[in-house]
Structure formats: structure tokens, C-alpha cells
């Protein structure tokens, strides 16, 4: 009979592409991973990994074993979810990955609420954009993702994931105080045709056959402006809104600034509403196999309540959430 830990180690190498990455994910040394693979190869009497530059390539035998291991891991996850659903209390650990403005605008109240209502549940928050967090969710490295996309630039469909809407967030345009349009209450997007833009980076990642752009916001901005006949001039890129606003304050361009998690504006910056309204969808994602896990349900509900509070406090952010528990609806 195969040793499951050795199979799990091989699965980690396959999922992450190298012994070093697998060791990091499993919290062991590179030597420990290599030893487990060597023992498994000894049991089988054949090689499982081939060198491919800095990464490794699986042999046919390894590919077969990894496929079987993936099914075993899914069965174990289902068993854990069913067992968890039978518990009277909610305890253990859940890892949540949220994009920065949700981590700042939604997570604090949600996590405080969970600390009060589920004191035995440990929630670990990590701040990550969807191109980083969604692959981690699919691989099982995180349990819940707070993701975003835009009305005209949705996330690609991914099998095996369920979602629950949290809210719709409005975005405005940040202008230098000396900009000719800075004194208006609302402007048309076409009024910015000749402006230079400050936006997010462009690198992406690959999940299976699906390309995940590094920033849905950046992809959305380019698509939106081009669909209106603009060819945007990208003057600068910055991953953080604070950096983008500092560049706006220096008169180096304009940028999109969502309302969720918005920090106080620096001096010299004015924020103006824009037509057509720019809004993004914010929602929770989790593996469908974990839907019955009570820790997922209570955490999603805590983020729903946090979103509801924001919707009441700031009416222009249109809440889309329901009071119901998250449904087992595939991510579309």
C-alpha cells in the first residue's frame, strides 16, 4: 500500500512545479521532499520526476499517481466538511485571502464579529489580489477568497468554485486640484479623453488553461476606455491606491479610485463622480466541496454583515447581498 504522505508530497511538487516550492508549501525542507519522492520511487521501482531547467516534469507514472491523489484529497476534504457540519460548535482554522480595499474596508468588522460569535474559530487573513488568491483557493492553500471584478470585465469561469455576492462598489475619478474638471460634482468619462492615466500593473498568471490578469482593474480600465473610442495613455503604474493618489497630487495624471476602503485623500487631490457609473462586484469564493463546512458559512455571513453596514452608511455603494446563508452556486 502506498504511503499517503509520500503521495501528498508528489502532489505538492506537481501542483507547484518544483521541489523548492513544494517544500515551502508543506513547511518542510527541500531534502525532506526529495527523500519522500525517492522512497516512493523505490516502492514503485521507477522514476517519477525529470529535471526541466529549474523546475521538474512528471513522468507518466507520476501523472497517474497525482490524479489519484487529487481524488483522494477531494474525498478527504468532503469528509472533513461533513464531519464539520455535525459539530455543535465551530472551531479550527480558516484562511481568508482578500484584495487590499476589501481587507481594509470589509475584513476588520467581519473578523471582529467572528471573534465574538465563534471564539474557538481562528481566522487568518492575508491580503492578496485575485490572480494570487484564486489559484491558491483552487489548490486548497486558502479556504475563502474575497474577490472583485467589474461589470464589463468579469473574472473567468472556474469549475469547482462557489460564490456569494457581497456588494457593488462605486468608483470615482481622482484629479489634481488644479485640473479644469476638479470643481465639478460629476463628469463624463469622455471628458478625460486627452488625460494621462495612472493605473495598475499588467503581469498575469496562468491557472490551468485560464489566463488570470494581474489586475482586473487595469484590464477593465483599458477595455472601458477603448470601448468608448479612447486609446488611453498610461503615464504610470502603481499597485497601491495610496501611490496612485500621490502621483495624482503631483499633477502626473488621473486615476480610478473605488469607495470601498478608501483612505483620506492627500492634499491637492479632488474626487469626482463619473458618467457612466463605474462599479465593481465584490463577492466571496470558496471550493464547492467545502460548502457544508460550517466555518465557511459563518465567515461568509460575517462578511455579508460587514458589507451591509457599509451599504447603510454609504448609500451610493449598492448592496447586493442576501440575508440567506451562502448557496451552492457555481462561480459564473
Amino acid at each position: 500500500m502506498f504511503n499517503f504522505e509520500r503521495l501528498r508530497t508528489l502532489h505538492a511538487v506537481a501542483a507547484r512545479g518544483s521541489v523548492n516550492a513544494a517544500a515551502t508549501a508543506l513547511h518542510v525542507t527541500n531534502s525532506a521532499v526529495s527523500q519522500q519522492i525517492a522512497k516512493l520511487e523505490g516502492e514503485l521501482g521507477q522514476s517519477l520526476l525529470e529535471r526541466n531547467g529549474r523546475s521538474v516534469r512528471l513522468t507518466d507514472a507520476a501523472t497517474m499517481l497525482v490524479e489519484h491523489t487529487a481524488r483522494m484529497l477531494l474525498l478527504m476534504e468532503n469528509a472533513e466538511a461533513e464531519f464539520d457540519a455535525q459539530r455543535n460548535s465551530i472551531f479550527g482554522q480558516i484562511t481568508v485571502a482578500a484584495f487590499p480595499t476589501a481587507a481594509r474596508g470589509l475584513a476588520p468588522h467581519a473578523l471582529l464579529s467572528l471573534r465574538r460569535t465563534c471564539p474557538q474559530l481562528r481566522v487568518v487573513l492575508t491580503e492578496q489580489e485575485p490572480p494570487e488568491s484564486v489559484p491558491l483557493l483552487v489548490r486548497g492553500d486558502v479556504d475563502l477568497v474575497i474577490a472583485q471584478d467589474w461589470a464589463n470585465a468579469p473574472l473567468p469561469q472556474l469549475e469547482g468554485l462557489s460564490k456569494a455576492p457581497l456588494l457593488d462598489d462605486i468608483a470615482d475619478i481622482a484629479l489634481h486640484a488644479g485640473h479644469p474638471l476638479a470643481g465639478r460634482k460629476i463628469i463624463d468619462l469622455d471628458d478625460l479623453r486627452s488625460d494621462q492615466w495612472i493605473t495598475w500593473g499588467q503581469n498575469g498568471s496562468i491557472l490551468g488553461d485560464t489566463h488570470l490578469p494581474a489586475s482586473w482593474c487595469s484590464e477593465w480600465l483599458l477595455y472601458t476606455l477603448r470601448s468608448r473610442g479612447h486609446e488611453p495613455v498610461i503615464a504610470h503604474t502603481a499597485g497601491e491606491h495610496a501611490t496612485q493618489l500621490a502621483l495624482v497630487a503631483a499633477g502626473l495624471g488621473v486615476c480610478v479610485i473605488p469607495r470601498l476602503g478608501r483612505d483620506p485623500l492627500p492634499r491637492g487631490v479632488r474626487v469626482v463622480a463619473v458618467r457612466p457609473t463605474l462599479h465593481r462586484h465584490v463577492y466571496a469564493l470558496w471550493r464547492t466541496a467545502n460548502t457544508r463546512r460550517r466555518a465557511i458559512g459563518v465567515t461568509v455571513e460575517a462578511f455579508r454583515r460587514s458589507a451591509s453596514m457599509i451599504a447603510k452608511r454609504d448609500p451610493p455603494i449598492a448592496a447586493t447581498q442576501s440575508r440567506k446563508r451562502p448557496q451552492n452556486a457555481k462561480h459564473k
Side-chain angles (χ1 to χ4, degrees):
M1 182 178 294
F2 294 123
N3 181 288
F4 182 73
E5 283 304 310
R6 293 169 192 166
L7 292 175
R8 192 167 75 97
T9 300
L10 177 64
H11 182 272
V13 173
R16 290 157 183 83
S18 72
V19 169
N20 182 57
T24 301
L26 296 173
H27 305 289
V28 298
T29 64
N30 290 7
S31 177
V33 171
S34 297
Q35 289 175 16
Q36 291 281 51
I37 298 299
K39 289 178 180 178
L40 188 56
E41 288 176 330
E43 291 176 355
L44 294 170
Q46 56 184 296
S47 298
L48 296 174
L49 301 177
E50 298 173 350
R51 285 290 176 187
N52 184 25
R54 293 184 177 181
S55 60
V56 292
R57 181 169 48 228
L58 272 64
T59 64
D60 291 343
T63 300
M64 179 189 68
L65 284 176
V66 167
E67 290 174 353
H68 284 292
T69 304
R71 287 193 287 271
M72 286 189 285
L73 288 170
L74 180 60
L75 286 172
M76 291 180 65
E77 194 170 69
N78 286 334
E80 181 183 350
E82 289 186 17
F83 179 76
D84 187 68
Q86 303 300 317
R87 292 171 170 169
N88 293 324
S89 61
I90 301 171
F91 57 92
Q93 177 173 306
I94 183 169
T95 303
V96 180
F99 62 93
T101 50
R104 188 162 59 246
L106 290 177
H109 180 270
L111 300 190
L112 181 60
S113 173
L114 286 168
R115 177 183 289 182
R116 292 169 176 167
T117 59
C118 305
Q120 293 180 296
L121 177 65
R122 180 170 180 255
V123 185
V124 178
L125 176 71
T126 178
E127 184 180 282
Q128 290 176 315
E129 292 284 4
E132 299 172 323
S133 61
V134 173
L136 292 177
L137 176 65
V138 171
R139 293 202 300 258
D141 293 336
V142 300
D143 301 302
L144 187 72
V145 164
I146 307 302
Q148 59 163 328
D149 63 16
W150 296 81
N152 59 347
L155 278 166
Q157 181 175 346
L158 295 172
E159 292 297 324
L161 299 184
S162 297
K163 74 173 182 178
L166 299 177
L167 57 82
D168 281 358
D169 182 29
I170 304 296
D172 302 308
I173 303 296
L175 310 167
H176 183 266
H179 193 286
L181 303 176
R184 297 190 185 180
K185 291 185 177 180
I186 189 168
I187 60 176
D188 290 322
L189 191 57
D190 293 337
D191 294 337
L192 303 170
R193 185 184 299 269
S194 61
D195 281 89
Q196 294 187 333
W197 288 88
I198 300 162
T199 185
W200 301 261
Q202 294 297 310
N203 295 327
S205 60
I206 301 294
L207 180 59
D209 296 327
T210 303
H211 174 255
L212 299 174
S215 173
W216 314 125
C217 301
S218 181
E219 294 282 323
W220 158 82
L221 178 62
L222 295 176
Y223 173 81
T224 299
L225 294 176
R226 286 170 178 162
S227 69
R228 300 183 69 83
H230 305 196
E231 184 51 46
V233 177
I234 306 301
H236 306 284
T237 62
E240 297 184 2
H241 287 132
T243 306
Q244 294 182 16
L245 291 173
L247 294 171
V248 172
L252 298 174
V254 302
C255 75
V256 172
I257 180 71
R259 297 181 185 178
L260 177 65
R262 183 184 295 178
D263 288 325
L265 298 174
R267 293 181 61 183
V269 174
R270 300 289 181 271
V271 171
V272 182
V274 63
R275 288 188 298 255
T277 301
L278 308 178
H279 68 276
R280 59 181 178 169
H281 307 303
V282 180
Y283 44 84
L285 288 173
W286 66 93
R287 293 184 299 282
T288 301
N290 268 348
T291 296
R292 293 185 62 188
R293 187 179 171 196
R294 295 181 66 197
I296 296 290
V298 297
T299 305
V300 171
E301 188 61 29
F303 274 91
R304 284 182 182 274
R305 289 194 299 269
S306 182
S308 179
M309 287 182 60
I310 291 174
K312 292 176 182 177
R313 184 185 66 206
D314 189 353
I317 301 181
T320 61
Q321 66 271 21
S322 164
R323 291 292 183 181
K324 297 179 181 179
R325 299 289 293 238
Q327 299 297 313
N328 183 10
K330 286 188 177 180
H331 176 202
K332 298 180 179 179

